[in-house]
Amino acid sequence: MEQTRWWTWLLLVSAAVAVILLLAAPLGYKYGLASLRPSLMSLVVALLTAVLVFLASLVMVFIAQKYGLSANRNLLLIAMGLSLIPMVVMGPQIQAARSVPAIHDITTDTDNPPTFDEIAPIREYAPNSLEYGDDQGSPEELARKQKEAYPEIRSLKTSLSVGEATEKTQLVLESQGLDVINVDQSKGIVEATATTKWFGFKDDMVVRITPDGSGSVVDVRSVSRVGQSDIGANAARIKRFLEGFREASG
């Protein structure tokens, strides 16, 4: 009967640990069991462990095959399969982070960004400020980085009145899964919060509607509460809202 070698068990267990860290890191932060930095470090450890396990298992598979250790080979293939999970999950995230600037405050109006009202006190202790450009360089530098990365993020002109556009904004945000915090018809302001599924990060959005002749202009701003880089999430959220608003407006 073939004996399972110690290095086979080591690689198999290490692959399982990498998957466990991949799941535990975001859940630990989401449910308040760990702070952000240890959670992110756990993801890094999970990815590095997975890469090392995959490479080592690949080498050992050939060795097991050479010496006829079929049971060991099969366990090593399982270890390789498990190690692929963190790599497949984290790979696109790393690629996205490298392809966009490390900013977390995106708006359609970089000259006069919409301001938050009722959400401002909720974010009182959030690491990221609501002051445009406060923790990301000057406002001009932040605006330059955004325009280079997301030139399509622009104000939206609509034939709807301020009141009609405000109502439409609330409906679109709710349909897209955001929690609407404030709707102020008199100011043409709608504030909402988005919660990410993986880590449970909170990103806040404000939509400002201003009169423009017989219609109105819709401007949006989305700001993360934590993290230097949003990996493109705020820009994607604004684009999704604008597309939804256009469709809802006919």
Side-chain angles (χ1 to χ4, degrees):
M1 183 176 179
E2 181 183 332
Q3 181 181 4
T4 304
R5 303 304 173 91
W6 66 267
W7 36 264
T8 299
W9 285 119
L10 175 62
L11 292 171
L12 185 60
V13 170
S14 298
V17 168
V19 174
I20 291 172
L21 286 175
L22 177 73
L23 297 174
L27 292 177
Y29 177 79
K30 185 175 184 178
Y31 294 107
L33 301 176
S35 59
L36 182 58
R37 187 178 295 274
S39 297
L40 293 178
M41 286 303 299
S42 294
L43 286 182
V44 173
V45 171
L47 180 60
L48 292 177
T49 300
V51 171
L52 291 174
V53 168
F54 182 86
L55 294 176
S57 297
L58 183 61
V59 172
M60 300 311 294
V61 161
F62 286 105
I63 294 176
Q65 182 68 26
K66 179 179 179 180
Y67 291 99
L69 303 173
S70 58
N72 284 267
R73 179 201 61 203
N74 293 339
L75 290 174
L76 289 167
L77 290 174
I78 293 174
M80 290 177 66
L82 288 173
S83 66
L84 280 175
I85 296 175
M87 296 163 64
V88 170
V89 172
M90 294 294 296
Q93 300 294 319
I94 294 174
Q95 182 60 34
R98 296 180 62 184
S99 65
V100 297
I103 56 178
H104 55 259
D105 189 345
I106 307 296
T107 179
T108 57
D109 187 352
T110 56
D111 294 324
N112 181 28
T115 57
F116 290 86
D117 187 3
E118 292 191 11
I119 281 181
I122 298 175
R123 291 178 55 117
E124 182 178 1
Y125 300 106
N128 291 342
S129 169
L130 284 178
E131 187 71 28
Y132 188 72
D134 181 57
D135 51 358
Q136 302 173 88
S138 66
E140 295 77 16
E141 180 68 11
L142 176 56
R144 181 189 64 78
K145 290 179 179 179
Q146 178 192 307
K147 290 176 181 178
E148 289 179 355
Y150 314 111
E152 70 281 9
I153 300 292
R154 299 177 180 177
S155 304
L156 173 64
K157 292 187 176 183
T158 174
S159 59
L160 299 178
S161 67
V162 171
E164 292 170 334
T166 301
E167 293 178 0
K168 193 72 65 178
T169 292
Q170 180 180 358
L171 293 174
V172 172
L173 290 175
E174 289 176 341
S175 70
Q176 294 181 346
L178 280 77
D179 295 321
V180 175
I181 307 299
N182 176 38
V183 180
D184 192 327
Q185 288 275 0
S186 63
K187 294 181 180 179
I189 292 291
V190 180
E191 296 174 273
T193 297
T195 304
T196 63
K197 294 180 180 180
W198 201 19
F199 268 86
F201 290 136
K202 301 285 186 181
D203 296 340
D204 297 304
M205 178 183 283
V206 57
V207 181
R208 180 186 67 200
I209 301 102
T210 54
D212 182 46
S214 60
S216 58
V217 175
V218 178
D219 279 299
V220 192
R221 184 181 176 193
S222 187
V223 190
S224 301
R225 293 188 189 181
V226 299
Q228 178 62 27
S229 175
D230 63 7
I231 318 182
N234 287 300
R237 186 175 298 111
I238 290 176
K239 286 189 282 186
R240 182 170 173 239
F241 165 76
L242 293 175
E243 290 170 1
F245 188 92
R246 291 190 187 96
E247 292 176 1
S249 303

